[in-house]
Amino acid sequence: MARFHRLRVAAVDRLTDDSVALTLTVPPRLREEYRYAPGQHLALRRTADGEEIRRTYSICSPAPDGEGPSTLRVGVRLVEGGAFSTYALKEIDLGDELEVMTPAGRFTLPPAPGRYAAVVGGSGITPVLSIVSTLLAREPDARFCLIRSDRTAASTMFLEEVADLKDRYPERFQLVTVLSREEQQAGLPSGRLDQERLTGLLPALLPVGQVDGWFLCGPYGLVEGAERALRGLGVARSRIHQEIFHVDAGTATVTTATAPAHSTVTARLDGRGGTWPVQAGESLLDTVLRNRPDAPYACKGGVCGTCRAFLVSGEVRMDRNFALESEETEAGYVLACQSRPVTERVELDFDR
Ligand code: FES
């Protein structure tokens, strides 16, 4: 069950002009709760002017083997006008305490032998850095090819950390950097990484059909283009994992559900249940939150997957979904923040 705790900031490292890495100390009594799989994220919460803001940031540090972590490091990039990222870049200082949710997310790779690859854009490197560094350190029979796309070298997050992986694992780690707004030295690609570019580039870099897992992370356009390129190259959907970082408003088709006049949601959360009427226009998460403020959520935008719940009975329609894989929706999971009732009774289980 997701919970918030106050964790102290142990380091603030500036990565680029518009991004920082925050290191948080985890006291021994909480280490088990903050144990994470490489690729997971943390939701940070802050109340400003009476309004609660939550944002999720991916953990970039390798996942420790054995006991839970003593520190957690997350990457934060400034989003123009972003309420949390502006605060993170301008105000957060050493010794501050932040409200941090326990780790969540299913964009993960438990270390296993094999060949893996990632296509990332901008801050999409953050979870993949944790995935690659954990994998290469723990699994000697694993190889990783990272294709990263950034605007310029100066705006590239975790440049040193990635270069370090290249030095440490020259045989098993392959790195390709594509800069969209900067000419590179001869022979290196530049320009935008879209479906067409990737369709040509990927087979030249590695045996596409032999890759056990593909990890796509970054803005919606890049992830979508990479997925289409991979599918076109014959890669099975089950080998493609994706996490979207930014979705422009209007990108998704929002379906308008025809809601019944009166509907109720029954929800089970942390072992306790309740049934409440759904008010006109609200999502099922909003209904649950009015009665159970401890219900898990972070983005409320269908992107992070923190509000995932199992649909026990009834029918819902999701406005948009950038977080759940098709196997999860087929198995009966929904995003509560995007779900509207289609039947008069809907039952959700947040504990499954
Ligand atoms: S809260 Fe992020 S997907 Fe629902």
Side-chain angles (χ1 to χ4, degrees), residues 134-303:
T134 309
L135 178 77
L136 296 177
R138 286 216 223 142
E139 182 47 70
D141 292 323
R143 309 167 65 85
F144 206 101
C145 173
L146 171 64
I147 298 134
R148 67 181 305 190
S149 152
D150 281 281
R151 279 168 293 148
T152 61
S155 71
T156 301
M157 291 171 77
F158 301 113
L159 204 59
E160 275 173 35
E161 285 84 348
V162 172
D164 195 46
L165 286 174
K166 222 180 142 193
D167 292 344
R168 210 170 330 157
Y169 308 103
E171 306 289 314
R172 298 193 286 129
F173 180 59
Q174 184 184 5
L175 170 68
V176 177
T177 306
V178 180
L179 299 177
S180 61
R181 303 227 183 122
E182 205 169 275
E183 285 300 314
Q184 296 201 81
Q185 295 144 356
L188 287 170
S190 61
R192 238 169 68 82
L193 262 194
D194 54 16
Q195 182 187 352
E196 204 190 327
R197 283 294 296 289
L198 285 165
T199 304
L201 183 65
L202 295 174
L205 290 174
L206 77 172
V208 172
Q210 288 172 30
V211 175
D212 299 295
W214 289 89
F215 292 80
L216 316 178
C217 188
Y220 179 77
L222 176 117
V223 170
E224 231 222 343
E227 192 202 353
R228 276 194 266 117
L230 289 171
R231 298 284 294 146
L233 291 166
V235 176
R237 198 180 294 274
S238 58
R239 297 202 173 185
I240 306 175
H241 310 276
Q242 39 183 287
E243 182 149 275
I244 310 249
F245 269 19
H246 304 291
V247 183
D248 296 332
T251 301
T253 342
V254 174
T255 51
T256 327
T258 341
H262 302 285
S263 50
T264 58
V265 57
T266 300
R268 186 181 164 81
L269 178 63
D270 215 4
R272 286 189 297 126
T275 299
W276 310 287
V278 181
Q279 290 181 0
E282 71 181 4
S283 70
L284 294 182
L285 175 71
D286 288 330
T287 312
V288 176
L289 275 174
R290 268 193 292 110
N291 300 281
R292 287 289 301 271
D294 55 331
Y297 76 91
C299 73
K300 281 197 180 177
V303 176

